[in-house]
């Protein structure tokens, strides 16, 4: 079979001079440039493309564009594989590989089709009813089975190799859809000087003008479209985007559009993105999204070869392809007659079945003049043909149109059906527009808008060309006038199209006599008329409930072809008018969007920004293993030779206790605080007193949230009378700044204080250990480093090789220690300088693991203890809380729950065997042999290997901690299935008097 | 995504801002004697109105100013924004 369903004319948009080869289910076919996968398959006579979601019924193409519910395929192989792609939206490209999904072993012979034979066991709500019991079966048996049998394509397991980009755009007027009304409004708005973006989903602009036989001015519709596009292209204030679907309408006129950039290009260049996601903030949005043809429900209306009449016409006119050679046109309105005429043009005589008693429409007359007889007052009752339709049973309707009087079997190879037209209101509805029901067209149209959105043309229910153009030019001008003062309207040209008679309100055929074939409403979700009947019989009244019970209108399809037919049927059963039944919510995305496009370039290293200290390169050169601390990359430890982490960490920590260590603390948050009220402000922010801190001194401070929980801690120094330098933890740096700004700007604006982050202006280097004084004395010979000259919590300014340095005598390790701060750009130089001078003192760098070991041994609290659930008393910070003054969160500390004597408080833990390290997060319990539920006394917050005592040590927060010291308890980790007998000790395990830091 | 007019910088996208809660809450005075109930009302309890809500936003990735926004919690319509020391016009 080689394109045997191509027409001989060449009035379409494909290029028959350029062949394109592609593979479908392993067979090689060819199509032409301009084809979609769908049109190329149909041209090759392939209609069977997949199996349906639930019953595994053979399915073919229903539509020609985004409305296609059936023809979903798996594209490409390996890491490029992509499931659930609508074949009608895939442009043919050389070497394209596609295959059917949801079938095994093949689409022709699918084992899952047994579901269809057993369909009476699979009604709506089947899963809810059947798989409820026994409860234990759900996870192990039912769920895996259903997942395998139902569902669609397979997601690839490999990383996506393609590039996706994001773009942010602003414009005055965004026009969505380039049919007659869209083109008219874009032209009018652009000519009036507005900045316009025109978005079209398809590869060609023009919408219905590409398929309808109309004239505008003295041109054909198609020529007018092309002329208008050339005009727009020449205007600098217009952006034209094809292959671009506006799929979501969010708040404040933010729309999101996906552009297919390179899928249709054979060998795109390396950095061409596959898709681009555009965030468009538009002043006004014109929704000219047109309308979608409605199917009709009749027996076995889902067989391959049964298509929408408009789709059949577009395949002929745009793709020069016949959906069949023995067509039946089945309609309740006039528009399908244009499809009949297109067949006649190709020398094919269709059989026409019309539910109406008669019609005097121009197209109907034209068909009759060509000698074609029309079966009025008739409908299709049932169809035959397993993998492809081969005949239809046409019935004569009785006067009530509730049953057939007589039935005849007619051979055919396709049915082109039309149930009239549904305006595409998805975007308006997403924008918050309250839709109203229009009785004339039996469909919902936009009504009361919530955002700056205006529907025009068919999307607004205006189905004639004259109306569409008039609305387009008027609305385009009116809306653009909000943004420009040119006041330059464009007149609507005259247009000419056939007249249409009214459609019949009939979308569901009676059953054929003696049979009950399925009459589908929602093809994608396999929802038939009988499912809707069942849902209502079982008491589901709200349309939202019917939707969820039957799955009508859900998933990727969002009910594009099924919503209204479903509503219409519910209204018929319930004997309510459609507006009373209401409609379900239209949700974004209008069409499926790849996860890759949503993620954009935020993948791999671009997932988050990376912050590096100025000393980072030295750490890299010296074998540091890094750890993420928020966005920062910090050295975790510096292994030597074949050292494992524990050995390296113990060596680094022990060297601090014995000699001297150096640690990069640049990541600590730093905030410059200035102003006459700065001392008063700190006094309110911190729990301890700050008014009397002398200039040139640092002080440790703890700040709370208003609820009394510890928020952050750090040292803050007074540089001059009204100038302070605050440090915060690495993790809370940004939050502390926001917190300070909040109190200064919102709560106490009368305080004259300014705060500014200086985290990135300073590089901080901790030098810790008994030999640190000697080392610093050598580096800064001008500074008196003695205990009197620079006492604990003192600070001094000095310089080294002409570089200004500030030396703080502060300690996190519990040893005699200093922190040298220099301007960031000199951080690396000073670090190297200290390392160089430090060699004779046996200096070693230490990372965050050793840093933790040193602070845990000392019982210094950090993030693991300050976890937002502890007040100062819980973590041994009692002495930090001033009784004399008020401060943020103080009132909370006197609440009943916070003053209970047996609150969980901080303690130390040592395993009785002095060997087993206690996992962080372990629970502390009293009785190891107790039966669950065992009362939990608390948890282990931090663990380390004590280099001072050479055994494991942990900090825990346990109930009535102080009174548990000396007792033996158990640390249990159900995750690791271990239970460790421990002794409770003081959290200040090393140097509890704090003599070293003051030595 | 909302578009918020910072009274200092002009209209910016929501992702430059962080939300700061009810703008009508007044912190009790420092040192003020206050009942547990009143304190709890200040710390924990907030109205959750459907409709107009006066709230705080922080232009955290911008000028770092806190300011007031009058927003409809149901529709996200923003009626007005103003500096902390100003009142809404609408």
């Amino acid at each position: 079979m080689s394109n045997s369903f191509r027409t001989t004319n060449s009035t379409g948009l494909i290029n028959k001079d350029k062949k394109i080869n592609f593979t479908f289910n392993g067979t090689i076919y060819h199509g032409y440039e301009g084809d979609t996968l769908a049109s190329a398959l149909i041209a090759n006579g392939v209609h069977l493309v997949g199996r349906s979601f639930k019953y595994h019924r053979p399915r073919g193409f229903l539509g020609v564009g985004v409305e296609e519910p059936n023809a979903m395929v798996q594209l490409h192989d390996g890491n490029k594989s992509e499931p659930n792609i609508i074949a009608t939206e895939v442009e043919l490209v050389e070497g394209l590989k596609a295959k059917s999904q949801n079938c095994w072993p093949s689409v022709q012979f699918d084992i899952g089709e047994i579901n269809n034979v057993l369909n009476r066991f699979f009604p709506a709500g089947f899963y809810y009813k059947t798989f409820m019991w026994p409860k234990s079966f759900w996870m192990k048996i039912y769920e895996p089975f259903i997942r395998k049998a139902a569902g669609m394509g397979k997601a690839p397991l490999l990383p996506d190799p393609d590039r996706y980009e994001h773009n942010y755009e602003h414009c005055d007027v965004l026009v969505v859809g380039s049919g007659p009304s869209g083109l008219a409004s874009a032209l009018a708005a652009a000519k009036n000087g507005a900045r316009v973006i025109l978005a079209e989903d398809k590869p060609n602009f023009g919408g219905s003008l590409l398929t309808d036989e109309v004239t505008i001015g003295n041109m054909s519709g198609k020529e007018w479209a092309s002329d208008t596009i050339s005009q727009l292209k020449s205007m600098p204030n217009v952006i034209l985007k094809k292959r671009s679907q506006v799929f979501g309408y969010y708040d404040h006129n933010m729309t999101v559009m996906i552009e297919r950039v390179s899928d249709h290009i054979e060998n795109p260049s390396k950095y061409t993105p596959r898709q681009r996601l555009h965030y468009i903030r538009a002043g006004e949005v014109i929704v000219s999204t047109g309308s979608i043809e409605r199917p009709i429900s009749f027996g076995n209306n889902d067989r391959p070869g049964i298509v929408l009449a408009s789709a059949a016409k577009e395949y002929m006119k745009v793709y020069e392809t016949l959906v069949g050679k023995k067509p039946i046109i089945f309609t309740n309105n006039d528009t399908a007659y244009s499809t009949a005429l297109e067949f006649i043009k190709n020398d094919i005589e269709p059989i026409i079945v019309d539910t109406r008693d008669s019609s005097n429409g121009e197209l109907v007359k034209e068909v009759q003049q060509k000698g074609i007889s029309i079966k009025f007052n008739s409908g299709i009752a049932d169809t035959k043909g397993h993998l492809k339709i081969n005949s239809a049973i046409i019935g004569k309707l009785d006067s009530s149109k509730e049953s057939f009087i007589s039935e005849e079997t007619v051979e055919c190879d396709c049915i082109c059906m039309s149930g009239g037209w549904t305006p595409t209101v998805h975007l308006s509805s997403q924008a918050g527009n309250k839709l109203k029901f229009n009785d004339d067209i039996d469909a919902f149209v936009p009504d009361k808008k919530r955002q700056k959105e205006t529907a025009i043309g068919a999307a607004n229910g205006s189905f004639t060309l004259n109306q569409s153009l008039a609305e387009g030019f008027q609305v385009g001008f009116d809306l653009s006038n909000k943004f420009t003062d040119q006041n330059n309207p464009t007149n609507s040209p005259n247009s000419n199209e056939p007249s249409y008679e009214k459609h019949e309100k009939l979308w569901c055929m009676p059953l054929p006599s003696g049979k009950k074939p399925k009459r589908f409403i929602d093809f994608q979700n396999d929802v038939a008329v009988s499912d809707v009947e069942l849902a209502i019989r079982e008491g589901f009244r709200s349309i939202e409930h019917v939707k969820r019970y039957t799955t009508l209108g859900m998933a990727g399809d969002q009910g594009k072809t099924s919503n209204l037919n479903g509503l219409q049927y519910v209204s018929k059963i319930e004997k309510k008018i459609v507006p009373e039944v209401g409609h379900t919510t239209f949700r974004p995305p209008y069409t499926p969007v790849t996860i890759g496009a949503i993620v954009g370039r935020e993948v791999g290293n671009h997932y988050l920004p990376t912050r590096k200290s100025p000393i980072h390169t030295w750490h890299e050169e010296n074998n540091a293993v890094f750890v993420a601390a928020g966005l920062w990359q910090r050295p975790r430890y510096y292994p030597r030779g074949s050292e494992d982490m524990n050995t390296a960490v113990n060596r680094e920590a022990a060297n601090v206790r014995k000699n001297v260590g150096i640690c990069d603390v640049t990541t600590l948050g730093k905030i410059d605080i200035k102003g006459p009220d700065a001392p008063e402000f700190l006094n309110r922010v911190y729990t301890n007193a700050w008014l009397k801190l002398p200039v040139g001194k640092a002080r440790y401070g703890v700040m709370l949230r208003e609820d009394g929980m510890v928020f952050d801690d750090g040292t803050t120094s007074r540089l001059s009378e009204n100038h302070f330098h605050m440090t915060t933890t690495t993790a809370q740096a940004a939050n502390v700044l926001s917190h300070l700004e909040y109190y200064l700007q919102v709560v106490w604006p009368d305080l004259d204080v300014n705060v500014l982050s200086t985290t990135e202006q300073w590089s901080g280097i901790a030098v810790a250990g008994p030999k640190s004084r000697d080392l610093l004395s050598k580096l800064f010979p001008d500074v008196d480093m003695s205990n009197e000259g620079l006492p604990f919590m003192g600070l001094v300014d000095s310089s080294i090789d002409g570089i200004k340095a500030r030396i703080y005598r502060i300690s996190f390790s519990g040893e005699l220690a200093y922190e040298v701060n220099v301007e960031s750009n000199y951080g690396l130089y000073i670090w190297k300088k200290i390392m160089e001078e430090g060699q004779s003192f046996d200096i070693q760098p230490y990372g965050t693991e050793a840093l933790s070991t040193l602070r845990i041994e000392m019982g210094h609290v950090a993030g693991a203890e300050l976890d937002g659930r502890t007040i100062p008393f819980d973590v041994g910070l009692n002495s930090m809380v001033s009784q004399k003054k008020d401060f943020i969160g103080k009132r909370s500390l006197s609440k009943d729950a916070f003053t209970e004597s047996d609150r969980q408080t901080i303690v130390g833990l040592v395993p009785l065997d002095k060997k087993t390290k206690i996992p962080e997060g372990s629970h502390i319990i009293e009785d190891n042999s107790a039966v669950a539920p065992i009362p939990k006394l608390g948890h282990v917050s931090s663990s380390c290997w004590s280099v001072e005592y050479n055994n494991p040590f942990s900090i825990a927060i346990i109930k009535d901690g102080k009174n548990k010291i000396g007792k033996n308890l158990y640390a249990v980790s159900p995750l690791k299935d271990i239970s460790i007998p421990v002794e409770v000790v003081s959290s200040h395990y090393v140097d509890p008097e704090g003599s070293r830091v003051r030595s | 995504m909302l578009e918020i007019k910072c009274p200092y910088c002009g209209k910016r996208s929501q992702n430059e801002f962080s939300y700061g809660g009810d703008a009508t809450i007044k912190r009790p005075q420092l040192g003020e004697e206050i009942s547990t109930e009143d304190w709890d009302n200040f710390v924990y309890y907030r109205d959750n109105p459907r409709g107009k809500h006066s709230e705080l936003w922080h232009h955290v990735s911008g000028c770092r100013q806190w300011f007031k926004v009058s927003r409809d919690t149901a529709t996200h319509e923003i009626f007005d924004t103003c500096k902390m020391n100003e009142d809404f016009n609408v």
Side-chain angles (χ1 to χ4, degrees), chain A residues 341-383:
Chain A
L341 286 164
E342 199 59 34
F343 273 113
I344 295 164
K345 260 193 223 164
N346 286 292
D347 299 324
I348 292 169
E349 271 197 21
I351 293 163
I352 302 180
V353 181
D354 194 325
T355 63
R356 299 172 295 180
D357 298 337
S358 67
S359 169
N360 290 313
E362 280 178 38
L363 294 176
V364 181
K365 282 184 185 158
E366 197 179 333
V367 166
Q368 283 169 324
Q369 279 158 14
K370 308 237 181 220
I372 311 281
S373 73
I374 299 163
K375 295 177 191 288
F376 280 115
N377 214 357
S378 297
I380 295 180
D382 201 354
T383 67

